[in-house]
Amino acid sequence: MKMKYIINLIYSIIIIFPAICFSERNNDFWRITTNVYMEIEEYQGQRDAYKNKVYDKLSTVGKLALTNPESLWRFNLEHRESLRNHGRNFGTSRDSYLRSRTQLDITKQFIKTPKTDLEIGARYRKESNDSPPETKVRSSSSLYALTPAGNYHFNDQWSFNFWLSYYYYSNYFNNNSHEAETEFGATYQHSDNLKAKLTFYYDKAWDKNFSTRFLQSQIRAYLPFTLKSNWHITPYIRYAIQEDTYDKHFYLVQKINNGFRLGTNIEYQATPSLTLWGGVAYEPSTWKNPKENGATSGNSNKQTLYIGKIGVKYLW
């Protein structure tokens, strides 16, 4: 099954690549960036009867970006194949199932001055049907999104940054039909090689009647810095303020008691065109109630999430 979704990813890149290359036939400064990577997510809670892990996910992702310094437009295409697995330590089993997702983003810049920039992006995402074995199969779903984003520079050191996304889900397997997600805050630039960023993150989802089904808020901090001009490192932390889930009767069924994520992303600029990159994260949390599939353990309902990524970017 792993080989199948890797082959599907390669086919998707092969299909879209000639169409994007066509735009460069006149050497009009359009450039293509490819980003291929693998992502591992491991959830640790209780163990099953065979002492296996409860849940993990292995994803292979391919991205294509089309950009032009002289254009107000940019385009991004992403295809993801995720193997979701219960209890077999990243190996396929009767409990494994596959989800595929293809996403297209189109962004236009509306304002670009020394102090201010503003852009608006549109997104379409198609996600495959999937479900664990011996459960009802879900039909495929679609997502439509609109995202304004921008920066305002108070001076050479301080700036305000934000992005705000609105999502509409069509035939989504969860009860969400609408969602709004935003992150905003301040960036301090100490030098060309060191920045600090502090933001507030907020996410809210509603059903088709605009009744709240999910609510989340976090404080996030980033410290990107550069070493020897070709190493770019971004440590970050997320602290959970609130994360609530509601049922169809608007009753609170799940609530985070405490949790945080500590991680870092690293990029190595091997050549002007080739970048090697990776990332790791650690996220412990405790919850009011036990989670499904034994994803929490103990009287305090603890859960630990580990994330790892490794990939290659290339500017053509």
Side-chain angles (χ1 to χ4, degrees), residues 115-255:
K115 277 191 170 293
T116 306
D117 59 86
L118 176 67
E119 63 184 28
I120 298 179
R123 171 178 297 173
Y124 173 73
R125 177 194 295 169
K126 187 71 171 181
E127 199 156 12
S128 71
N129 60 337
D130 70 333
S131 65
E134 300 179 3
T135 62
K136 184 178 180 180
V137 176
R138 298 186 289 251
S139 58
S140 59
S141 63
S142 298
L143 175 144
Y144 306 86
L146 195 66
T147 304
N151 300 277
Y152 179 78
H153 298 271
F154 298 100
N155 51 45
D156 291 339
Q157 293 181 313
W158 289 97
S159 63
F160 172 79
N161 329 104
F162 85 96
W163 59 265
L164 170 64
S165 291
Y166 165 75
Y167 309 105
Y168 170 71
Y169 296 93
S170 176
N171 203 32
Y172 194 46
F173 55 83
N174 284 340
N175 294 309
N176 304 344
S177 292
H178 308 272
E179 184 177 3
E181 185 181 24
T182 185
E183 184 176 3
F184 57 89
T187 298
Y188 174 76
Q189 182 159 340
H190 178 267
S191 65
D192 290 341
N193 294 328
L194 178 62
K195 294 181 182 180
K197 186 175 182 179
L198 183 66
T199 65
F200 176 75
Y201 170 82
Y202 185 81
D203 183 18
K204 188 172 184 178
W206 302 266
D207 62 18
K208 62 182 180 180
N209 297 315
F210 279 96
S211 298
T212 301
R213 302 303 297 268
F214 178 79
L215 185 62
Q216 180 184 37
S217 59
Q218 299 175 347
I219 294 293
R220 297 180 173 183
Y222 310 83
L223 189 66
F225 61 92
T226 300
L227 293 176
K228 297 182 179 179
S229 75
N230 55 356
W231 285 94
H232 306 284
I233 304 171
T234 306
Y236 67 90
I237 187 170
R238 301 176 181 179
Y239 177 76
I241 300 173
Q242 179 183 20
E243 186 170 333
D244 299 339
T245 303
Y246 301 84
D247 64 13
K248 62 181 179 180
H249 303 295
F250 321 121
Y251 179 74
L252 181 66
V253 294
Q254 186 59 279
K255 180 180 181 68

Side-chain angles (χ1 to χ4, degrees), residues 71-120:
S71 175
L72 300 176
W73 296 86
R74 69 175 187 270
F75 306 88
N76 293 274
L77 178 68
E78 174 186 317
H79 184 74
R80 175 186 293 261
E81 299 277 347
S82 298
L83 176 66
R84 294 163 180 261
N85 176 57
H86 290 263
R88 292 293 178 179
N89 297 324
F90 302 104
T92 57
S93 71
R94 62 182 178 82
D95 295 321
S96 302
Y97 59 102
L98 191 67
R99 175 178 297 173
S100 63
R101 189 177 82 185
T102 302
Q103 178 174 295
L104 174 65
D105 289 278
I106 300 174
T107 305
K108 182 180 180 182
Q109 190 170 63
F110 286 88
I111 300 175
K112 181 64 175 179
T113 70
K115 277 191 170 293
T116 306
D117 59 86
L118 176 67
E119 63 184 28
I120 298 179

Side-chain angles (χ1 to χ4, degrees), residues 20-39:
I20 296 180
C21 284
F22 182 74
S23 68
E24 292 198 284
R25 66 191 185 279
N26 295 324
N27 194 27
D28 56 2
F29 299 102
W30 285 96
R31 295 294 179 263
I32 300 166
T33 302
T34 55
N35 184 8
V36 179
Y37 64 94
M38 183 165 289
E39 178 181 76

